[in-house]
Short mmCIF file of all heavy atoms in Angstrom, two decimals:
data_model
loop_
_atom_site.label_atom_id
_atom_site.label_comp_id
_atom_site.label_asym_id
_atom_site.label_seq_id
_atom_site.Cartn_x
_atom_site.Cartn_y
_atom_site.Cartn_z
N THR A 143 -5.23 12.32 0.39
CA THR A 143 -6.09 13.39 0.91
C THR A 143 -5.33 14.71 1.06
O THR A 143 -5.79 15.63 1.71
CB THR A 143 -6.67 13.00 2.28
OG1 THR A 143 -5.59 12.71 3.19
CG2 THR A 143 -7.55 11.77 2.16
N GLY A 144 -4.14 14.82 0.47
CA GLY A 144 -3.36 16.04 0.57
C GLY A 144 -1.88 15.75 0.43
O GLY A 144 -1.49 14.75 -0.18
N LEU A 145 -1.01 16.62 0.98
CA LEU A 145 0.42 16.41 0.90
C LEU A 145 0.86 15.25 1.80
O LEU A 145 0.29 15.04 2.86
CB LEU A 145 1.16 17.69 1.31
CG LEU A 145 1.09 18.86 0.33
CD1 LEU A 145 1.77 20.08 0.92
CD2 LEU A 145 1.74 18.49 -1.01
N PRO A 146 1.89 14.50 1.39
CA PRO A 146 2.38 13.41 2.23
C PRO A 146 2.87 13.93 3.59
O PRO A 146 3.46 15.00 3.69
CB PRO A 146 3.55 12.84 1.41
CG PRO A 146 3.25 13.24 -0.01
CD PRO A 146 2.59 14.57 0.09
N VAL A 147 2.60 13.14 4.64
CA VAL A 147 3.01 13.49 6.00
C VAL A 147 3.93 12.39 6.53
O VAL A 147 3.68 11.20 6.32
CB VAL A 147 1.79 13.64 6.93
CG1 VAL A 147 2.23 13.97 8.35
CG2 VAL A 147 0.86 14.73 6.39
N ALA A 148 5.01 12.79 7.21
CA ALA A 148 6.03 11.84 7.67
C ALA A 148 5.65 11.22 9.01
O ALA A 148 5.10 11.90 9.89
CB ALA A 148 7.37 12.55 7.80
N HIS A 149 5.98 9.92 9.17
CA HIS A 149 5.74 9.21 10.43
C HIS A 149 6.93 8.29 10.72
O HIS A 149 7.22 7.37 9.95
CB HIS A 149 4.45 8.40 10.36
CG HIS A 149 3.22 9.25 10.19
ND1 HIS A 149 2.58 9.86 11.24
CD2 HIS A 149 2.54 9.62 9.07
CE1 HIS A 149 1.56 10.55 10.78
NE2 HIS A 149 1.51 10.43 9.47
N ALA A 150 7.61 8.56 11.85
CA ALA A 150 8.79 7.77 12.22
C ALA A 150 8.38 6.46 12.86
O ALA A 150 7.41 6.40 13.63
CB ALA A 150 9.66 8.58 13.18
N LYS A 151 9.14 5.39 12.55
CA LYS A 151 8.88 4.05 13.09
C LYS A 151 10.17 3.50 13.68
O LYS A 151 11.20 3.45 13.00
CB LYS A 151 8.38 3.11 11.99
CG LYS A 151 7.23 3.64 11.15
CD LYS A 151 5.92 3.65 11.91
CE LYS A 151 4.78 4.17 11.03
NZ LYS A 151 3.50 4.17 11.76
N SER A 152 10.10 3.05 14.93
CA SER A 152 11.28 2.44 15.56
C SER A 152 11.44 1.00 15.09
O SER A 152 10.49 0.35 14.64
CB SER A 152 11.14 2.48 17.08
OG SER A 152 10.16 1.55 17.52
N TRP A 153 12.66 0.49 15.22
CA TRP A 153 12.91 -0.89 14.82
C TRP A 153 12.10 -1.87 15.67
O TRP A 153 11.54 -2.85 15.15
CB TRP A 153 14.40 -1.20 14.93
CG TRP A 153 14.74 -2.62 14.61
CD1 TRP A 153 15.33 -3.54 15.42
CD2 TRP A 153 14.48 -3.30 13.36
NE1 TRP A 153 15.46 -4.74 14.77
CE2 TRP A 153 14.95 -4.62 13.50
CE3 TRP A 153 13.90 -2.91 12.15
CZ2 TRP A 153 14.85 -5.56 12.47
CZ3 TRP A 153 13.81 -3.85 11.13
CH2 TRP A 153 14.27 -5.15 11.30
N GLY A 154 11.97 -1.60 16.94
CA GLY A 154 11.19 -2.49 17.80
C GLY A 154 9.74 -2.58 17.38
O GLY A 154 9.15 -3.67 17.35
N SER A 155 9.14 -1.44 17.01
CA SER A 155 7.73 -1.46 16.59
C SER A 155 7.57 -2.21 15.28
O SER A 155 6.57 -2.91 15.07
CB SER A 155 7.19 -0.03 16.45
OG SER A 155 7.72 0.62 15.31
N LEU A 156 8.54 -2.11 14.38
CA LEU A 156 8.45 -2.81 13.10
C LEU A 156 8.55 -4.32 13.28
O LEU A 156 7.85 -5.09 12.60
CB LEU A 156 9.55 -2.32 12.15
CG LEU A 156 9.45 -0.86 11.69
CD1 LEU A 156 10.60 -0.51 10.76
CD2 LEU A 156 8.11 -0.58 11.01
N VAL A 157 9.41 -4.76 14.18
CA VAL A 157 9.54 -6.20 14.43
C VAL A 157 8.24 -6.74 15.04
O VAL A 157 7.73 -7.79 14.63
CB VAL A 157 10.74 -6.49 15.35
CG1 VAL A 157 10.76 -7.97 15.76
CG2 VAL A 157 12.05 -6.14 14.64
N ARG A 158 7.69 -6.03 16.02
CA ARG A 158 6.42 -6.46 16.61
C ARG A 158 5.31 -6.47 15.56
O ARG A 158 4.44 -7.36 15.55
CB ARG A 158 6.04 -5.54 17.77
CG ARG A 158 7.00 -5.62 18.96
CD ARG A 158 6.43 -4.93 20.19
NE ARG A 158 6.13 -3.52 19.97
CZ ARG A 158 7.00 -2.54 20.14
NH1 ARG A 158 8.24 -2.81 20.52
NH2 ARG A 158 6.64 -1.27 19.94
N ASN A 159 5.34 -5.49 14.68
CA ASN A 159 4.37 -5.38 13.60
C ASN A 159 4.42 -6.63 12.71
O ASN A 159 3.40 -7.27 12.43
CB ASN A 159 4.70 -4.12 12.79
CG ASN A 159 3.74 -3.84 11.65
OD1 ASN A 159 3.25 -4.74 11.01
ND2 ASN A 159 3.51 -2.57 11.38
N ALA A 160 5.62 -6.99 12.28
CA ALA A 160 5.79 -8.15 11.40
C ALA A 160 5.33 -9.44 12.06
O ALA A 160 4.65 -10.27 11.45
CB ALA A 160 7.26 -8.27 10.98
N ARG A 161 5.69 -9.61 13.31
CA ARG A 161 5.32 -10.84 14.01
C ARG A 161 3.81 -10.93 14.24
O ARG A 161 3.24 -12.01 14.20
CB ARG A 161 6.08 -10.93 15.34
CG ARG A 161 7.59 -11.15 15.14
CD ARG A 161 8.35 -11.12 16.45
NE ARG A 161 9.77 -11.40 16.25
CZ ARG A 161 10.70 -11.30 17.18
NH1 ARG A 161 10.35 -10.89 18.41
NH2 ARG A 161 11.97 -11.57 16.91
N ALA A 162 3.17 -9.78 14.46
CA ALA A 162 1.72 -9.77 14.66
C ALA A 162 1.01 -10.20 13.38
O ALA A 162 0.07 -11.01 13.41
CB ALA A 162 1.25 -8.39 15.09
N GLU A 163 1.44 -9.67 12.24
CA GLU A 163 0.81 -10.05 10.98
C GLU A 163 1.10 -11.51 10.63
O GLU A 163 0.20 -12.25 10.23
CB GLU A 163 1.28 -9.16 9.83
CG GLU A 163 0.62 -9.52 8.51
CD GLU A 163 1.06 -8.66 7.35
OE1 GLU A 163 2.08 -7.96 7.47
OE2 GLU A 163 0.38 -8.70 6.30
N ALA A 164 2.36 -11.92 10.79
CA ALA A 164 2.72 -13.30 10.47
C ALA A 164 1.95 -14.28 11.34
O ALA A 164 1.51 -15.34 10.88
CB ALA A 164 4.23 -13.50 10.65
N GLY A 165 1.77 -13.93 12.62
CA GLY A 165 1.00 -14.79 13.51
C GLY A 165 -0.45 -14.89 13.10
O GLY A 165 -1.04 -15.97 13.09
N ARG A 166 -1.04 -13.76 12.71
CA ARG A 166 -2.44 -13.75 12.30
C ARG A 166 -2.64 -14.58 11.03
O ARG A 166 -3.65 -15.28 10.89
CB ARG A 166 -2.90 -12.30 12.09
CG ARG A 166 -4.30 -12.14 11.50
CD ARG A 166 -5.38 -12.78 12.38
NE ARG A 166 -5.38 -12.33 13.74
CZ ARG A 166 -5.95 -11.20 14.17
NH1 ARG A 166 -6.60 -10.44 13.32
NH2 ARG A 166 -5.89 -10.86 15.44
N LEU A 167 -1.70 -14.53 10.11
CA LEU A 167 -1.82 -15.26 8.85
C LEU A 167 -1.34 -16.70 8.95
O LEU A 167 -1.40 -17.44 7.97
CB LEU A 167 -1.05 -14.52 7.74
CG LEU A 167 -1.55 -13.12 7.38
CD1 LEU A 167 -0.65 -12.49 6.33
CD2 LEU A 167 -2.99 -13.17 6.89
N GLY A 168 -0.85 -17.10 10.12
CA GLY A 168 -0.40 -18.48 10.30
C GLY A 168 0.91 -18.78 9.60
O GLY A 168 1.16 -19.93 9.19
N LEU A 169 1.79 -17.78 9.47
CA LEU A 169 3.04 -17.96 8.74
C LEU A 169 4.21 -18.34 9.62
O LEU A 169 5.21 -18.87 9.12
CB LEU A 169 3.39 -16.67 7.98
CG LEU A 169 2.35 -16.17 6.96
CD1 LEU A 169 2.80 -14.84 6.37
CD2 LEU A 169 2.15 -17.20 5.86
N LEU A 170 4.13 -18.07 10.91
CA LEU A 170 5.30 -18.27 11.77
C LEU A 170 5.64 -19.74 11.96
O LEU A 170 6.83 -20.12 11.98
CB LEU A 170 5.07 -17.61 13.13
CG LEU A 170 5.12 -16.08 13.16
CD1 LEU A 170 4.83 -15.57 14.55
CD2 LEU A 170 6.50 -15.59 12.70
N HIS A 171 4.64 -20.58 12.09
CA HIS A 171 4.90 -21.98 12.42
C HIS A 171 4.40 -22.95 11.35
O HIS A 171 4.57 -24.15 11.48
CB HIS A 171 4.28 -22.33 13.77
CG HIS A 171 4.72 -21.41 14.88
ND1 HIS A 171 6.02 -21.36 15.32
CD2 HIS A 171 4.04 -20.49 15.61
CE1 HIS A 171 6.12 -20.46 16.28
NE2 HIS A 171 4.94 -19.92 16.49
N GLY A 172 3.77 -22.43 10.31
CA GLY A 172 3.29 -23.28 9.24
C GLY A 172 4.35 -23.41 8.16
O GLY A 172 5.52 -23.04 8.34
N PRO A 173 3.98 -23.94 7.00
CA PRO A 173 4.92 -24.04 5.89
C PRO A 173 5.35 -22.66 5.41
O PRO A 173 4.60 -21.69 5.52
CB PRO A 173 4.11 -24.77 4.81
CG PRO A 173 2.68 -24.53 5.16
CD PRO A 173 2.63 -24.47 6.65
N ARG A 174 6.57 -22.55 4.92
CA ARG A 174 7.13 -21.28 4.49
C ARG A 174 6.48 -20.85 3.17
O ARG A 174 6.70 -21.47 2.14
CB ARG A 174 8.64 -21.40 4.35
CG ARG A 174 9.33 -20.12 3.89
CD ARG A 174 10.84 -20.28 3.86
NE ARG A 174 11.37 -20.30 5.22
CZ ARG A 174 12.27 -21.19 5.65
NH1 ARG A 174 12.69 -22.15 4.85
NH2 ARG A 174 12.72 -21.12 6.89
N HIS A 175 5.66 -19.80 3.20
CA HIS A 175 5.01 -19.28 2.00
C HIS A 175 5.95 -18.32 1.26
O HIS A 175 6.66 -17.53 1.90
CB HIS A 175 3.72 -18.54 2.35
CG HIS A 175 2.58 -19.43 2.69
ND1 HIS A 175 2.60 -20.30 3.77
CD2 HIS A 175 1.37 -19.61 2.08
CE1 HIS A 175 1.45 -20.97 3.82
NE2 HIS A 175 0.69 -20.57 2.81
N THR A 176 5.93 -18.36 -0.05
CA THR A 176 6.69 -17.43 -0.87
C THR A 176 5.79 -16.28 -1.28
O THR A 176 4.71 -16.50 -1.83
CB THR A 176 7.26 -18.11 -2.12
OG1 THR A 176 7.97 -19.29 -1.74
CG2 THR A 176 8.20 -17.18 -2.85
N ILE A 177 6.24 -15.05 -1.03
CA ILE A 177 5.43 -13.86 -1.29
C ILE A 177 5.71 -13.30 -2.68
O ILE A 177 6.87 -13.12 -3.07
CB ILE A 177 5.73 -12.77 -0.24
CG1 ILE A 177 5.34 -13.24 1.16
CG2 ILE A 177 5.02 -11.47 -0.59
CD1 ILE A 177 5.79 -12.31 2.26
N VAL A 178 4.66 -13.02 -3.41
CA VAL A 178 4.73 -12.22 -4.63
C VAL A 178 3.90 -10.98 -4.37
O VAL A 178 2.70 -11.08 -4.08
CB VAL A 178 4.21 -12.98 -5.86
CG1 VAL A 178 4.10 -12.03 -7.06
CG2 VAL A 178 5.14 -14.14 -6.21
N GLY A 179 4.52 -9.82 -4.44
CA GLY A 179 3.82 -8.57 -4.13
C GLY A 179 3.69 -7.68 -5.33
O GLY A 179 4.66 -7.46 -6.07
N THR A 180 2.48 -7.15 -5.55
CA THR A 180 2.27 -6.19 -6.64
C THR A 180 2.40 -4.75 -6.15
O THR A 180 2.30 -3.82 -6.95
CB THR A 180 0.87 -6.37 -7.27
OG1 THR A 180 -0.13 -6.01 -6.31
CG2 THR A 180 0.65 -7.81 -7.70
N VAL A 181 2.61 -4.58 -4.87
CA VAL A 181 2.68 -3.24 -4.27
C VAL A 181 4.15 -2.88 -4.01
O VAL A 181 4.96 -3.75 -3.69
CB VAL A 181 1.88 -3.17 -2.95
CG1 VAL A 181 0.40 -3.11 -3.24
CG2 VAL A 181 2.18 -4.37 -2.06
N PRO A 182 4.52 -1.61 -4.16
CA PRO A 182 5.92 -1.22 -3.96
C PRO A 182 6.34 -1.33 -2.50
O PRO A 182 5.53 -1.20 -1.58
CB PRO A 182 5.95 0.24 -4.43
CG PRO A 182 4.55 0.72 -4.31
CD PRO A 182 3.67 -0.46 -4.57
N ALA A 183 7.62 -1.57 -2.30
CA ALA A 183 8.15 -1.72 -0.95
C ALA A 183 8.10 -0.42 -0.17
O ALA A 183 8.09 -0.43 1.06
CB ALA A 183 9.59 -2.23 -1.01
N GLN A 184 8.07 0.73 -0.86
CA GLN A 184 8.05 2.01 -0.16
C GLN A 184 6.70 2.28 0.51
O GLN A 184 6.64 3.03 1.49
CB GLN A 184 8.36 3.15 -1.14
CG GLN A 184 9.80 3.23 -1.59
CD GLN A 184 10.12 2.27 -2.72
OE1 GLN A 184 9.24 1.58 -3.23
NE2 GLN A 184 11.38 2.22 -3.11
N HIS A 185 5.63 1.72 -0.02
CA HIS A 185 4.31 1.92 0.56
C HIS A 185 4.20 1.13 1.85
O HIS A 185 4.70 0.01 1.95
CB HIS A 185 3.23 1.48 -0.44
CG HIS A 185 1.85 1.80 0.00
ND1 HIS A 185 1.11 0.99 0.82
CD2 HIS A 185 1.05 2.88 -0.29
CE1 HIS A 185 -0.07 1.53 1.03
NE2 HIS A 185 -0.13 2.68 0.37
N MET A 186 3.55 1.68 2.87
CA MET A 186 3.53 1.04 4.18
C MET A 186 2.97 -0.38 4.13
O MET A 186 3.50 -1.30 4.74
CB MET A 186 2.74 1.90 5.18
CG MET A 186 2.97 1.53 6.64
SD MET A 186 4.70 1.73 7.12
CE MET A 186 4.71 0.96 8.74
N TYR A 187 1.89 -0.58 3.40
CA TYR A 187 1.31 -1.92 3.26
C TYR A 187 2.28 -2.86 2.55
O TYR A 187 2.52 -3.99 2.98
CB TYR A 187 -0.01 -1.82 2.51
CG TYR A 187 -0.55 -3.12 1.95
CD1 TYR A 187 -0.71 -4.25 2.74
CD2 TYR A 187 -0.93 -3.20 0.60
CE1 TYR A 187 -1.22 -5.44 2.21
CE2 TYR A 187 -1.45 -4.37 0.08
CZ TYR A 187 -1.59 -5.49 0.88
OH TYR A 187 -2.09 -6.66 0.36
N GLY A 188 2.87 -2.39 1.45
CA GLY A 188 3.85 -3.21 0.75
C GLY A 188 5.06 -3.51 1.60
O GLY A 188 5.61 -4.62 1.56
N PHE A 189 5.49 -2.54 2.39
CA PHE A 189 6.64 -2.72 3.27
C PHE A 189 6.34 -3.76 4.35
O PHE A 189 7.12 -4.68 4.59
CB PHE A 189 7.01 -1.38 3.90
CG PHE A 189 8.14 -1.44 4.88
CD1 PHE A 189 9.43 -1.70 4.45
CD2 PHE A 189 7.92 -1.22 6.23
CE1 PHE A 189 10.49 -1.76 5.36
CE2 PHE A 189 8.96 -1.27 7.14
CZ PHE A 189 10.25 -1.54 6.70
N GLU A 190 5.19 -3.61 5.00
CA GLU A 190 4.83 -4.52 6.08
C GLU A 190 4.61 -5.94 5.59
O GLU A 190 5.07 -6.91 6.21
CB GLU A 190 3.55 -4.02 6.77
CG GLU A 190 3.73 -2.74 7.55
CD GLU A 190 2.39 -2.17 8.00
OE1 GLU A 190 1.40 -2.27 7.24
OE2 GLU A 190 2.33 -1.59 9.11
N SER A 191 3.88 -6.08 4.47
CA SER A 191 3.40 -7.40 4.06
C SER A 191 4.30 -8.11 3.05
O SER A 191 3.98 -9.20 2.61
CB SER A 191 1.99 -7.28 3.47
OG SER A 191 1.09 -6.84 4.47
N THR A 192 5.43 -7.49 2.70
CA THR A 192 6.43 -8.20 1.90
C THR A 192 7.78 -8.14 2.59
O THR A 192 8.31 -9.17 3.02
CB THR A 192 6.51 -7.63 0.46
OG1 THR A 192 6.92 -6.27 0.49
CG2 THR A 192 5.18 -7.74 -0.25
N VAL A 193 8.34 -6.95 2.76
CA VAL A 193 9.69 -6.82 3.33
C VAL A 193 9.74 -7.29 4.78
O VAL A 193 10.59 -8.11 5.16
CB VAL A 193 10.18 -5.36 3.21
CG1 VAL A 193 11.54 -5.20 3.89
CG2 VAL A 193 10.27 -4.96 1.75
N LEU A 194 8.86 -6.77 5.63
CA LEU A 194 8.89 -7.17 7.04
C LEU A 194 8.56 -8.64 7.22
O LEU A 194 9.11 -9.31 8.11
CB LEU A 194 7.93 -6.31 7.86
CG LEU A 194 8.36 -4.86 8.14
CD1 LEU A 194 7.37 -4.18 9.08
CD2 LEU A 194 9.77 -4.79 8.72
N LEU A 195 7.67 -9.19 6.39
CA LEU A 195 7.35 -10.61 6.50
C LEU A 195 8.54 -11.48 6.07
O LEU A 195 8.67 -12.61 6.52
CB LEU A 195 6.12 -10.96 5.67
CG LEU A 195 4.77 -10.55 6.26
CD1 LEU A 195 3.63 -11.06 5.40
CD2 LEU A 195 4.61 -11.06 7.70
N ALA A 196 9.39 -10.96 5.18
CA ALA A 196 10.60 -11.69 4.83
C ALA A 196 11.62 -11.61 5.96
O ALA A 196 12.33 -12.59 6.26
CB ALA A 196 11.20 -11.13 3.54
N LEU A 197 11.70 -10.46 6.62
CA LEU A 197 12.66 -10.28 7.71
C LEU A 197 12.26 -11.05 8.96
O LEU A 197 13.10 -11.66 9.63
CB LEU A 197 12.81 -8.79 8.04
CG LEU A 197 13.46 -7.91 6.98
CD1 LEU A 197 13.33 -6.44 7.37
CD2 LEU A 197 14.93 -8.28 6.80
N HIS A 198 10.97 -11.01 9.31
CA HIS A 198 10.54 -11.60 10.58
C HIS A 198 9.26 -12.42 10.49
O HIS A 198 8.62 -12.66 11.51
CB HIS A 198 10.36 -10.49 11.63
CG HIS A 198 11.66 -10.03 12.23
ND1 HIS A 198 12.27 -10.68 13.27
CD2 HIS A 198 12.47 -9.00 11.90
CE1 HIS A 198 13.41 -10.06 13.57
NE2 HIS A 198 13.55 -9.04 12.76
N GLY A 199 8.90 -12.87 9.30
CA GLY A 199 7.67 -13.63 9.15
C GLY A 199 7.82 -14.96 8.46
O GLY A 199 6.83 -15.53 8.00
#
Side-chain angles (χ1 to χ4, degrees):
T143 58
L145 289 176
V147 178
H149 296 277
K151 310 287 181 179
S152 72
W153 177 241
S155 72
L156 294 180
V157 172
R158 295 193 300 272
N159 182 325
R161 291 176 177 172
E163 181 180 14
R166 174 59 54 83
L167 296 177
L169 301 176
L170 287 178
H171 305 295
R174 180 176 287 134
H175 284 62
T176 308
I177 297 172
V178 171
T180 67
V181 284
Q184 287 82 4
H185 187 274
M186 196 61 190
Y187 164 53
F189 178 68
E190 291 170 324
S191 296
T192 62
V193 176
L194 286 186
L195 284 185
L197 292 171
H198 281 277

